[in-house]
Amino acid sequence: MFLPLHRWIWHNPERCARKLFSFAETEADGGRDLVRAAELTQDPTLRRLFIVHAADEDRHAQLFRGRGTVLRRTLPANTSALFQLNWVSPGERGLDDLRVHGETDASLLAFLHLSEKAAAGHFATYVDALKDDPLTSQVFREVLKDETFHMNYTLAQLTRIAPQRHRTFLWKARAGRLWKAYLRLMSAIAGVMGTVMLTLQYFILLPPFAFFAKRAERREPRGWIEIPQDRGHSLTSQY
Ligand SMILES: [Fe+2]
Ligand SMILES: [Fe+2]
């Protein structure tokens, strides 16, 4: 349903390059979190999988950065910065600022599964939306293969380590993601309100100050002002 919107978003090469760079940052950040998760887990199978996963995320970061760099080089030097619209077409959220050391293996796997599932859905849409740019589309196709593997192994491992409670962990992770989405929305609204308030202050409060400052300036004598001799002896002030 939203394919035409995504086509429009990705159609602009400047925006496309910027989005790829920001996706690369998130992927690299997710990779670092997974290395930390591998250090913390006591489960050898999970440790191995987290390391493989971290290497995949690092590779995704390189793929996105590489394609972003190629696109950036094709643009004229004075292109204007466009909105990335990442709230409409986000990248992988990775661990989304989750505190890895505060999570159990099961809660981490549940969170990762949902995150990877969402990323796989978005990237599949971008493969179609980028039909006019086959090279960028191919990057997303390649990344999508890994995201699908991440989505599947996290669910399989969650079911292995918490066979009775894996659904509970998934619901808790869903609630956590919902809460984070709410916070993101609220901070976006706060950002818009802040911009509106500051703009209004600029146009309503500043003009009277400018008017009085200009009036005061007209009353000031021009040029050098001679200081009377008897006012030149203070050690604590200039006059
Ligand atoms: Fe990724
Ligand atoms: Fe991933």
Side-chain angles (χ1 to χ4, degrees), residues 217-229:
E217 186 199 6
R218 279 198 294 272
R219 288 191 196 141
E220 286 287 319
R222 303 241 160 222
W224 294 97
I225 300 164
E226 195 177 337
I227 305 293
Q229 285 295 323

Side-chain angles (χ1 to χ4, degrees), residues 27 57 60 92 143 147 150:
E27 298 278 345
E57 301 300 1
H60 299 168
E92 183 171 11
V143 170
E147 305 303 6
H150 299 159

